[in-house]
Amino acid sequence: MTPRNRFPRIALLAGLCIVPLAATAASAIQTVPGMPPVVNSANLYSEAGAGHLSPAVAGDLARIYVPNLRGDSVSVIDPATYKVVETFKVGQSPQHVVPSYDLKTLWVTNNAEGHTDGSLTPIDARTGKPGAAIPVDDPYNMYFTPDGKQAIVVAEAHARLDFRNPHTMALESSLQVPGCKGINHADYSIDGRYAIFTCEFGGRLAKIDIVHRKVLGYLQLDKHGMPQDIRVSPDGKIFYVADMMADGVFLIDGDSFTKVGFIKTGVGTHGLYPSRDGSKLYVANRGSNKIHGPRHGKGSVSVIDFATRKVVANWPVPGGGSPDMGNVSADGKTLWLSGRFDDVVYAIDTSTGKMRKIKVGMEPHGLAVWPQPGRYSLGHTGIMR
């Protein structure tokens, strides 16, 4: 995608009042080369709002793709009927379903836990059909550079980021991140200059210079912490970091790379998903502080108001459960989350918290909702911009 044309500087100096608001907002953020402009500097999620579907996803099947970690399969749910309409086999230990930057492919990251035969299975976003798997070393998770020129495969077991061709997945370069044990989830600064990755087994974060491909530093959250998902605030100033040992969300100033706050949410805080209007953050609390937790745990979903940084709602799973990862429907009305230890998927009404449960395969993990609004995807289960 190419940046939108901006009005000449001479026109601004002349005091012309015909400059569109969107152009003014975009000019406030100087993005890295090749990255699409930030349309609204107060809300970087503005182009992923309800109804903002790209022409690239026109005609794509409306489906929920659920990777079953212990089933080596993907369950496909029709959101209109809340029923599983297909299940297909993929590689070993599928962790996440990741929308590609160009919105044409959904990649299943099969990291083959404990083995060396990891792979990526492509799913045609238009038809929902899987293609032939591509051998890739330890693809626990995957992101894309803000210019879309490379995929970033998160090789968790090796504390390494592999920069690959976003279509063929051929390896182009690698970056070792030795101080980040259990590197797995990430989000980007509003201008695309850097990303912050969570280090699950080190209780810390790693800040990565995406332009120059180097580690800028580490930040210890808690000695006994276990940071999981991470999401940047709509204005790009604060990164929210879920920590399943702290039972809450750390607030990090991205530029200064310092802790500035903490919000208590629920047991086993894990996944983070902004609402379609960018006003709220849905927090999945997995119900256990253990990596392999029990069924029917103290799972819940907390809702944080971005403006006040306060929890404004908390929705316990009826009968107990284990909300893990997922995303929000295109219209913003349903939050879809995997029930990691209960072999179900939750469909949650974002206005009331009422939940439906759909039985899927063994140990569902990073499900993807498709299609989603947005111009492009930065990875994970749909970091849309």
Side-chain angles (χ1 to χ4, degrees):
M1 298 184 184
T2 56
R4 300 178 183 180
N5 292 328
R6 298 193 177 108
F7 276 60
R9 187 175 182 185
I10 188 170
L12 296 177
L13 294 176
L16 295 180
C17 59
I18 60 173
V19 179
L21 179 61
T24 304
S27 65
I29 304 296
Q30 298 299 315
T31 59
V32 297
M35 176 181 166
V38 177
V39 175
N40 182 350
S41 59
N43 180 16
L44 55 79
Y45 301 114
S46 66
E47 303 312 289
H52 287 206
L53 292 169
S54 166
V57 304
D60 285 6
L61 280 175
R63 294 291 186 263
I64 312 300
Y65 296 92
V66 187
N68 301 306
L69 177 59
R70 300 300 169 207
D72 296 342
S73 66
V74 170
S75 296
V76 184
I77 298 172
D78 182 343
T81 63
Y82 301 95
K83 294 183 182 299
V84 175
V85 294
E86 185 179 7
T87 298
F88 53 80
K89 298 297 286 186
V90 290
Q92 291 189 64
S93 310
Q95 300 283 358
H96 303 91
V97 177
V98 179
S100 64
Y101 187 93
D102 63 8
L103 314 181
K104 294 180 179 180
T105 307
L106 305 173
W107 293 97
V108 187
T109 63
N110 313 300
N111 79 321
E113 286 187 329
H115 299 83
T116 58
D117 52 348
S119 64
L120 292 170
T121 301
I123 300 173
D124 186 319
R126 181 62 48 85
T127 66
K129 299 302 181 183
I134 300 173
V136 169
D137 187 26
D138 191 31
Y140 176 82
N141 208 345
M142 186 160 68
Y143 295 86
F144 296 91
T145 55
D147 60 7
K149 292 183 178 180
Q150 290 181 305
I152 305 175
V153 168
V154 182
E156 181 190 50
H158 306 299
R160 190 182 72 219
L161 300 177
D162 289 337
F163 292 81
R164 294 177 175 271
N165 180 288
H167 306 293
T168 67
M169 293 300 158
L171 182 64
E172 296 178 348
S173 66
S174 292
L175 174 65
Q176 295 289 338
V177 193
C180 193
K181 187 179 180 182
I183 189 169
N184 49 37
H185 299 101
D187 204 355
Y188 290 86
S189 60
I190 193 170
D191 57 8
R193 288 186 301 111
Y194 64 83
I196 296 178
F197 281 79
T198 59
C199 313
E200 181 173 0
F201 305 123
R204 53 168 50 179
L205 306 174
K207 187 174 181 178
I208 308 296
D209 183 329
I210 296 298
V211 177
H212 300 101
R213 308 288 163 84
K214 64 181 182 180
V215 179
L216 294 173
Y218 301 97
L219 175 65
Q220 194 74 38
L221 290 180
D222 189 280
K223 185 178 180 180
H224 303 291
M226 190 173 279
Q228 304 292 321
D229 206 2
I230 179 171
R231 196 65 79 240
V232 69
S233 62
D235 61 7
K237 295 179 180 178
I238 300 295
F239 286 77
Y240 289 66
V241 182
D243 192 306
M244 68 180 262
M245 290 299 182
D247 297 337
V249 178
F250 285 99
L251 305 183
I252 307 298
D253 182 304
D255 288 350
S256 65
F257 205 35
T258 56
K259 289 187 289 186
V260 295
F262 179 80
I263 303 171
K264 197 79 170 179
T265 56
V267 178
T269 310
H270 201 81
L272 304 174
Y273 304 96
S275 61
R276 286 290 163 209
D277 63 2
S279 68
K280 304 290 193 301
L281 182 67
Y282 302 114
V283 183
N285 306 303
R286 203 160 68 173
S288 175
N289 303 118
K290 298 179 179 180
I291 294 176
H292 300 290
R295 291 180 181 271
H296 312 302
K298 298 178 180 179
S300 66
V301 174
S302 300
V303 184
I304 294 175
D305 182 90
F306 274 124
T308 64
R309 299 179 187 171
K310 303 289 186 183
V311 174
V312 295
N314 197 301
W315 304 322
V317 177
S322 49
D324 191 280
M325 292 197 151
N327 220 313
V328 183
S329 61
D331 61 8
K333 295 180 179 180
T334 306
L335 172 65
W336 292 88
L337 296 172
S338 59
R340 182 73 174 267
F341 307 130
D342 294 272
D343 300 340
V344 298
V345 163
Y346 308 109
I348 305 166
D349 187 315
T350 56
S351 62
T352 66
K354 184 178 179 180
M355 301 184 190
R356 289 175 179 253
K357 298 180 183 180
I358 302 105
K359 182 71 175 176
V360 290
M362 295 174 61
E363 201 170 335
H365 193 189
L367 69 79
V369 176
W370 200 255
Q372 287 188 49
R375 299 168 295 172
Y376 59 100
S377 163
L378 285 170
H380 191 38
T381 59
I383 298 179
M384 310 299 291
R385 297 282 193 269

